[in-house]
Amino acid sequence: MLDILAISGSLRAASTNSALIAALAQNAPPGCRITVYDGLGRLPIFNPDDEGERTPAEASALIDAVSGADGVIISCPEYAHGVPGGLKNGLDWLVSRDAAVGKPAMLVHASPRSLFARAALAEIMRTMSFALYDEVPLEIALLGKKAPEVEKILAEPANRVAMRNALSAFAGFIRQC
Ligand SMILES: Cc1cc2nc3c(=O)[nH]c(=O)nc-3n(C[C@H](O)[C@H](O)[C@H](O)COP(=O)(O)O)c2cc1C
């Protein structure tokens, strides 16, 4: 069984990225278990002085969750052509240790825009030595949609197949890593 950690880069209650992450967890193919990480909003602002013995409990929980996962999936919005601070802050807590090194990771997209953030996030994650899988990008356009429509789109058979296919492809990549 592959354990995959899924992270939304949005803290919004009605986040489309979080909805995509939740739908992926519901559509996990056999042999994959997806756990949703929801602690980004509780993490203290990263400070290198607070590493080692002083690492805050919330940061340790994230580090342990990433370390224990076979792979990581991230769905993230774009803010002012960049990666939202909350997600970048979470990633910063993972830099000076082994958690991300060689860890298979996949980006999925809830917006057809966000091209700057996608590129920036990929660059950040490669720099952190994540093993980034980017051969079959999953994009389901949920930008600007309200919750009932988001739910409807994510329940469409073609989108469920697309989610399963993306997850199966990522699982294959994880097994090769
Ligand atoms: C502060 C802020 C800045 C944004 N900047 C951009 C941007 O530069 N490019 C873009 O495509 N969308 C931008 N957006 C739109 C969000 O990326 C978009 O609404 C996204 O789908 C929100 O994701 P969520 O539903 O998961 O919260 C911005 C939104 C906010 C709140």
Side-chain angles (χ1 to χ4, degrees):
M1 178 66 72
L2 291 179
D3 275 307
I4 297 174
L5 188 71
I7 303 174
S8 166
S10 174
L11 301 182
R12 254 178 8 102
S15 161
T16 52
N17 287 279
S18 301
L20 177 56
I21 288 292
L24 284 169
Q26 284 163 11
N27 287 282
C32 288
R33 185 170 36 220
I34 298 183
T35 304
V36 178
Y37 172 76
D38 68 353
L40 277 189
R42 297 189 297 271
L43 284 171
I45 299 288
F46 174 69
N47 179 345
D49 290 343
D50 293 337
E51 295 210 272
E53 284 178 10
R54 297 177 52 174
T55 303
E58 280 293 345
S60 293
L62 171 62
I63 292 157
D64 291 348
V66 171
S67 299
D70 296 302
V72 174
I73 294 175
I74 295 182
S75 185
C76 186
E78 173 170 297
Y79 288 170
H81 286 187
V83 177
L87 179 64
K88 183 62 166 70
N89 183 51
L91 292 171
D92 286 345
W93 280 111
L94 301 171
V95 171
S96 306
R97 53 192 78 245
D98 295 338
V101 177
K103 185 71 60 181
M106 176 170 74
L107 303 182
V108 297
H109 311 289
S111 164
R113 301 187 330 212
S114 70
L115 301 183
F116 292 97
R118 290 184 195 193
L121 188 52
E123 174 65 17
I124 291 162
M125 292 178 71
R126 286 203 188 93
T127 300
M128 293 172 68
S129 301
F130 276 99
L132 201 57
Y133 174 75
D134 53 10
E135 275 175 41
V136 188
L138 175 69
E139 177 183 303
I140 300 181
L142 303 172
L143 177 69
K145 310 272 189 227
K146 299 261 182 291
E149 201 182 345
V150 166
E151 221 168 284
K152 218 172 106 195
I153 294 168
L154 289 170
E156 282 171 13
N159 285 333
R160 293 173 56 131
V161 168
M163 286 188 269
R164 284 216 163 206
N165 286 348
L167 289 169
S168 297
F170 183 47
F173 175 74
I174 292 173
R175 290 193 180 99
Q176 274 173 19
C177 278

Short mmCIF file of all heavy atoms in Angstrom, two decimals, residues 8-19 75-82 110-116 142-145, ligand 1:
data_model
loop_
_atom_site.label_atom_id
_atom_site.label_comp_id
_atom_site.label_asym_id
_atom_site.label_seq_id
_atom_site.Cartn_x
_atom_site.Cartn_y
_atom_site.Cartn_z
N SER A 8 -3.15 21.03 0.07
CA SER A 8 -3.71 22.16 -0.67
C SER A 8 -2.97 23.42 -0.24
O SER A 8 -2.77 23.66 0.95
CB SER A 8 -5.20 22.32 -0.37
OG SER A 8 -5.66 23.59 -0.84
N GLY A 9 -2.61 24.25 -1.21
CA GLY A 9 -1.91 25.50 -0.89
C GLY A 9 -2.85 26.64 -0.54
O GLY A 9 -2.39 27.76 -0.33
N SER A 10 -4.14 26.36 -0.47
CA SER A 10 -5.12 27.40 -0.13
C SER A 10 -5.71 27.14 1.25
O SER A 10 -6.05 26.01 1.58
CB SER A 10 -6.25 27.42 -1.16
OG SER A 10 -7.27 28.33 -0.75
N LEU A 11 -5.85 28.22 2.02
CA LEU A 11 -6.46 28.09 3.36
C LEU A 11 -7.95 28.44 3.31
O LEU A 11 -8.63 28.35 4.34
CB LEU A 11 -5.75 29.01 4.35
CG LEU A 11 -4.25 28.77 4.53
CD1 LEU A 11 -3.68 29.73 5.57
CD2 LEU A 11 -3.97 27.33 4.93
N ARG A 12 -8.46 28.85 2.17
CA ARG A 12 -9.85 29.25 2.07
C ARG A 12 -10.79 28.09 2.39
O ARG A 12 -10.58 26.98 1.93
CB ARG A 12 -10.15 29.69 0.63
CG ARG A 12 -10.29 31.16 0.46
CD ARG A 12 -10.53 31.61 -0.96
NE ARG A 12 -10.80 30.67 -2.01
CZ ARG A 12 -12.02 30.41 -2.50
NH1 ARG A 12 -13.08 31.00 -2.01
NH2 ARG A 12 -12.17 29.57 -3.50
N ALA A 13 -11.86 28.39 3.19
CA ALA A 13 -12.80 27.33 3.54
C ALA A 13 -13.41 26.71 2.29
O ALA A 13 -13.59 25.49 2.22
CB ALA A 13 -13.90 27.90 4.45
N ALA A 14 -13.73 27.55 1.29
CA ALA A 14 -14.36 27.04 0.06
C ALA A 14 -13.33 26.86 -1.05
O ALA A 14 -13.65 27.03 -2.23
CB ALA A 14 -15.46 27.99 -0.38
N SER A 15 -12.13 26.49 -0.69
CA SER A 15 -11.04 26.39 -1.66
C SER A 15 -11.30 25.34 -2.74
O SER A 15 -11.64 24.18 -2.42
CB SER A 15 -9.74 26.04 -0.93
OG SER A 15 -8.78 25.52 -1.83
N THR A 16 -11.08 25.72 -3.99
CA THR A 16 -11.20 24.76 -5.09
C THR A 16 -10.00 23.79 -5.09
O THR A 16 -10.15 22.63 -5.45
CB THR A 16 -11.27 25.51 -6.43
OG1 THR A 16 -10.17 26.42 -6.52
CG2 THR A 16 -12.57 26.29 -6.54
N ASN A 17 -8.84 24.28 -4.68
CA ASN A 17 -7.68 23.38 -4.59
C ASN A 17 -7.89 22.33 -3.51
O ASN A 17 -7.57 21.15 -3.71
CB ASN A 17 -6.41 24.19 -4.31
CG ASN A 17 -5.95 24.96 -5.55
OD1 ASN A 17 -5.32 24.41 -6.43
ND2 ASN A 17 -6.31 26.24 -5.62
N SER A 18 -8.46 22.73 -2.38
CA SER A 18 -8.74 21.76 -1.32
C SER A 18 -9.81 20.76 -1.77
O SER A 18 -9.75 19.58 -1.43
CB SER A 18 -9.20 22.47 -0.04
OG SER A 18 -8.21 23.36 0.40
N ALA A 19 -10.78 21.25 -2.55
CA ALA A 19 -11.82 20.35 -3.06
C ALA A 19 -11.20 19.31 -4.00
O ALA A 19 -11.56 18.12 -3.97
CB ALA A 19 -12.90 21.15 -3.80
N SER A 75 -1.74 20.74 -4.62
CA SER A 75 -2.60 21.56 -5.48
C SER A 75 -2.58 22.97 -4.91
O SER A 75 -2.92 23.18 -3.74
CB SER A 75 -4.03 21.02 -5.47
OG SER A 75 -4.83 21.74 -6.39
N CYS A 76 -2.16 23.94 -5.72
CA CYS A 76 -1.87 25.25 -5.14
C CYS A 76 -2.37 26.40 -6.02
O CYS A 76 -2.14 26.38 -7.23
CB CYS A 76 -0.35 25.35 -4.98
SG CYS A 76 0.16 26.84 -4.13
N PRO A 77 -3.01 27.40 -5.44
CA PRO A 77 -3.38 28.57 -6.23
C PRO A 77 -2.18 29.46 -6.50
O PRO A 77 -1.09 29.23 -5.96
CB PRO A 77 -4.41 29.30 -5.35
CG PRO A 77 -4.11 28.88 -3.96
CD PRO A 77 -3.42 27.54 -4.03
N GLU A 78 -2.40 30.47 -7.32
CA GLU A 78 -1.36 31.48 -7.59
C GLU A 78 -1.81 32.79 -6.96
O GLU A 78 -2.94 33.22 -7.15
CB GLU A 78 -1.22 31.66 -9.11
CG GLU A 78 -0.30 32.80 -9.52
CD GLU A 78 0.00 32.78 -11.02
OE1 GLU A 78 0.61 31.80 -11.48
OE2 GLU A 78 -0.41 33.72 -11.72
N TYR A 79 -0.93 33.41 -6.19
CA TYR A 79 -1.19 34.73 -5.63
C TYR A 79 -0.13 35.70 -6.19
O TYR A 79 1.07 35.49 -5.94
CB TYR A 79 -1.10 34.72 -4.10
CG TYR A 79 -2.23 34.01 -3.39
CD1 TYR A 79 -2.15 33.76 -2.01
CD2 TYR A 79 -3.39 33.61 -4.04
CE1 TYR A 79 -3.18 33.13 -1.33
CE2 TYR A 79 -4.42 32.97 -3.37
CZ TYR A 79 -4.30 32.73 -2.02
OH TYR A 79 -5.32 32.09 -1.35
N ALA A 80 -0.58 36.74 -6.89
CA ALA A 80 0.33 37.74 -7.43
C ALA A 80 1.52 37.09 -8.14
O ALA A 80 2.69 37.42 -7.88
CB ALA A 80 0.82 38.68 -6.31
N HIS A 81 1.18 36.15 -9.01
CA HIS A 81 2.17 35.45 -9.82
C HIS A 81 3.16 34.63 -8.98
O HIS A 81 4.25 34.29 -9.47
CB HIS A 81 2.94 36.41 -10.75
CG HIS A 81 2.11 36.88 -11.90
ND1 HIS A 81 2.61 37.63 -12.93
CD2 HIS A 81 0.79 36.70 -12.19
CE1 HIS A 81 1.65 37.89 -13.80
NE2 HIS A 81 0.53 37.35 -13.36
N GLY A 82 2.81 34.31 -7.75
CA GLY A 82 3.72 33.54 -6.92
C GLY A 82 3.03 32.41 -6.18
O GLY A 82 1.82 32.18 -6.33
N ALA A 110 -6.09 23.13 -10.12
CA ALA A 110 -7.52 23.43 -10.10
C ALA A 110 -7.82 24.68 -10.92
O ALA A 110 -8.98 25.09 -11.00
CB ALA A 110 -8.00 23.61 -8.66
N SER A 111 -6.80 25.30 -11.49
CA SER A 111 -6.98 26.51 -12.29
C SER A 111 -6.22 26.36 -13.59
O SER A 111 -5.08 25.88 -13.60
CB SER A 111 -6.44 27.73 -11.53
OG SER A 111 -6.29 28.82 -12.42
N PRO A 112 -6.83 26.76 -14.72
CA PRO A 112 -6.09 26.70 -15.98
C PRO A 112 -5.06 27.83 -16.10
O PRO A 112 -4.27 27.83 -17.03
CB PRO A 112 -7.19 26.85 -17.04
CG PRO A 112 -8.30 27.55 -16.36
CD PRO A 112 -8.20 27.25 -14.88
N ARG A 113 -5.10 28.79 -15.15
CA ARG A 113 -4.11 29.87 -15.18
C ARG A 113 -2.94 29.46 -14.27
O ARG A 113 -2.40 28.40 -14.43
CB ARG A 113 -4.77 31.17 -14.68
CG ARG A 113 -5.96 31.57 -15.55
CD ARG A 113 -6.54 32.93 -15.20
NE ARG A 113 -6.44 33.35 -13.83
CZ ARG A 113 -7.34 34.12 -13.20
NH1 ARG A 113 -8.42 34.52 -13.84
NH2 ARG A 113 -7.17 34.49 -11.95
N SER A 114 -2.56 30.29 -13.36
CA SER A 114 -1.53 29.97 -12.35
C SER A 114 -0.22 29.43 -12.93
O SER A 114 0.43 28.59 -12.31
CB SER A 114 -2.08 28.99 -11.30
OG SER A 114 -2.28 27.71 -11.82
N LEU A 115 0.14 29.89 -14.13
CA LEU A 115 1.34 29.33 -14.76
C LEU A 115 2.64 29.79 -14.08
O LEU A 115 3.62 29.05 -14.04
CB LEU A 115 1.38 29.68 -16.26
CG LEU A 115 0.16 29.17 -17.05
CD1 LEU A 115 0.32 29.51 -18.53
CD2 LEU A 115 -0.05 27.67 -16.87
N PHE A 116 2.63 31.03 -13.53
CA PHE A 116 3.82 31.50 -12.80
C PHE A 116 4.02 30.65 -11.54
O PHE A 116 5.13 30.22 -11.24
CB PHE A 116 3.67 32.98 -12.43
CG PHE A 116 3.70 33.93 -13.58
CD1 PHE A 116 2.52 34.41 -14.13
CD2 PHE A 116 4.90 34.34 -14.15
CE1 PHE A 116 2.55 35.29 -15.21
CE2 PHE A 116 4.94 35.22 -15.22
CZ PHE A 116 3.75 35.70 -15.76
N LEU A 142 -11.55 24.52 -11.99
CA LEU A 142 -12.55 24.83 -10.96
C LEU A 142 -12.53 26.31 -10.59
O LEU A 142 -13.29 26.75 -9.73
CB LEU A 142 -12.26 23.99 -9.69
CG LEU A 142 -12.23 22.47 -9.89
CD1 LEU A 142 -11.75 21.78 -8.61
CD2 LEU A 142 -13.61 21.95 -10.28
N LEU A 143 -11.65 27.07 -11.24
CA LEU A 143 -11.45 28.48 -10.92
C LEU A 143 -12.77 29.24 -10.93
O LEU A 143 -13.51 29.21 -11.92
CB LEU A 143 -10.50 29.09 -11.95
CG LEU A 143 -10.20 30.58 -11.82
CD1 LEU A 143 -9.37 30.86 -10.58
CD2 LEU A 143 -9.48 31.10 -13.06
N GLY A 144 -13.05 29.93 -9.82
CA GLY A 144 -14.22 30.80 -9.75
C GLY A 144 -15.54 30.09 -9.55
O GLY A 144 -16.58 30.72 -9.48
N LYS A 145 -15.52 28.76 -9.44
CA LYS A 145 -16.78 28.01 -9.27
C LYS A 145 -17.16 27.94 -7.79
O LYS A 145 -16.30 27.84 -6.92
CB LYS A 145 -16.63 26.58 -9.80
CG LYS A 145 -16.05 26.48 -11.20
CD LYS A 145 -17.12 26.56 -12.26
CE LYS A 145 -16.55 26.25 -13.62
NZ LYS A 145 -16.94 27.17 -14.66
C1 LIG B 1 -4.46 37.61 -3.21
C2 LIG B 1 -4.77 36.88 -4.46
C3 LIG B 1 -3.93 36.99 -5.56
C4 LIG B 1 -4.20 36.31 -6.73
N1 LIG B 1 -3.33 36.41 -7.77
C5 LIG B 1 -3.53 35.62 -8.89
C6 LIG B 1 -2.56 35.60 -9.93
O1 LIG B 1 -1.54 36.27 -9.91
N2 LIG B 1 -2.80 34.78 -11.01
C7 LIG B 1 -3.93 33.97 -11.09
O2 LIG B 1 -4.07 33.24 -12.05
N3 LIG B 1 -4.85 34.00 -10.10
C8 LIG B 1 -4.67 34.78 -9.01
N4 LIG B 1 -5.59 34.78 -7.98
C9 LIG B 1 -6.76 33.92 -8.12
C10 LIG B 1 -6.56 32.60 -7.41
O3 LIG B 1 -5.38 31.95 -7.84
C11 LIG B 1 -7.76 31.73 -7.72
O4 LIG B 1 -8.90 32.36 -7.20
C12 LIG B 1 -7.63 30.34 -7.15
O5 LIG B 1 -8.49 29.50 -7.88
C13 LIG B 1 -8.01 30.28 -5.71
O6 LIG B 1 -7.81 28.96 -5.26
P1 LIG B 1 -8.70 28.39 -4.06
O7 LIG B 1 -10.12 28.29 -4.60
O8 LIG B 1 -8.14 27.02 -3.81
O9 LIG B 1 -8.59 29.30 -2.89
C14 LIG B 1 -5.36 35.48 -6.82
C15 LIG B 1 -6.19 35.38 -5.71
C16 LIG B 1 -5.92 36.06 -4.55
C17 LIG B 1 -6.84 35.90 -3.36
#
